[in-house]
Amino acid sequence: MCGRFAVTLPDDAMARLFAARPANDLPPVPNYNVCPTMPVHAVSLGEGGRHLGAMRWGFVPHWYDTPDDGPLLINARAETIAEKPAFRSACRNRRCLIPAAGFYEWSRGADGTKLPWFVRAADGAPLVFAGVWQVWERGDQRIASCAIVTTESSPDVAHIHHRMPVIVAPEHWGFWLGEEGRGAARLMHPAPEGAVTAHRVSRAVNSNRAQGPELIEPLEDGE
């Protein structure tokens, strides 16, 4: 799964990276501890091409009476996304790209302690997650929300957790967004071995209130 991540790239750099038109209400960056229900940066297709906008992380199905009317859907499993009622329409018609510096995952120590890791691209580039999105409306309330698509972990992450986000390579961004025809389903697979690397980080990130660049720094030997 993916339950926390970090975003460090400035808004203008993100807009250039994706050749997208940025919105005026983008979330503050950097954010070293992005948590569910927070607004996140997401690239989607709209009138005039690619848009970089803010979406609530936590997909809100159209049948929810309120945004919190059911389970918090932060992830969508690649294996079942096309059949699940919450996601199947979005999987066909409303896919997005969610940029990150990396994501956190937790293993368990011998005593059951949660041990956090930070997973990033091996080449230092931003990670770009596959996402799905939709707009939920009730009366004058309107929320654009998204979920991150997950798949089985690559060998680089499997020793920490059995699930990870689907990472979309730059040459496939157009396919995922639907600009270049069909083929998005073929992208929902683990990252190639060696594409990402993971290191242990401070347990400070176990708190969803923690912030600061030290959250993604490798632990010193002996910590």
Side-chain angles (χ1 to χ4, degrees), residues 19-223:
R21 186 173 66 191
N24 295 323
D25 61 345
L26 294 171
V29 286
N31 185 342
Y32 292 93
N33 195 2
V34 180
C35 302
T37 74
M38 285 184 175
V40 300
H41 295 75
V43 178
S44 60
L45 279 185
E47 187 177 347
R50 295 180 183 181
H51 292 250
L52 174 64
M55 295 187 186
R56 176 190 189 262
W57 185 22
F59 193 94
V60 184
H62 66 83
W63 60 82
Y64 279 19
D65 290 327
T66 70
D68 303 314
D69 197 30
L72 182 59
L73 305 176
I74 62 170
N75 294 154
R77 293 176 65 94
E79 298 87 346
T80 57
I81 191 172
E83 288 80 38
K84 290 289 185 181
F87 300 123
R88 61 192 177 199
S89 177
C91 180
R92 291 192 299 269
N93 305 307
R94 295 182 302 279
R95 298 186 295 271
C96 61
L97 300 169
I98 300 171
F103 65 95
Y104 299 98
E105 196 50 83
W106 281 260
S107 61
R108 289 281 182 180
D111 60 355
T113 304
K114 291 178 65 177
L115 305 176
W117 298 71
F118 188 66
V119 184
R120 60 176 180 81
D123 62 3
L127 292 180
V128 178
F129 305 146
V132 291
W133 69 280
Q134 76 171 14
V135 173
W136 175 90
E137 294 182 282
R138 287 292 186 279
D140 60 355
Q141 192 174 15
R142 185 180 188 277
I143 298 174
S145 65
C146 64
I148 294 172
V149 183
T150 65
T151 186
E152 294 182 0
S153 287
S154 70
D156 306 299
V157 180
H159 66 289
I160 305 169
H161 196 272
H162 65 286
R163 303 289 295 179
M164 70 179 293
V166 171
I167 297 170
V168 185
E171 62 269 24
H172 296 144
W173 292 348
F175 280 109
W176 185 255
L177 291 175
E179 296 170 322
E180 300 176 14
R182 305 175 67 87
R186 297 194 297 271
L187 305 179
M188 292 191 287
H189 52 69
E193 187 169 2
V196 299
T197 184
H199 59 260
R200 276 287 318 282
V201 294
S202 167
R203 281 182 282 182
V205 78
N206 288 0
S207 168
N208 59 14
R209 298 182 179 179
Q211 272 297 338
E214 64 275 9
L215 296 181
I216 68 173
E217 293 299 320
L219 285 182
E220 297 293 336
D221 290 344
E223 285 193 77

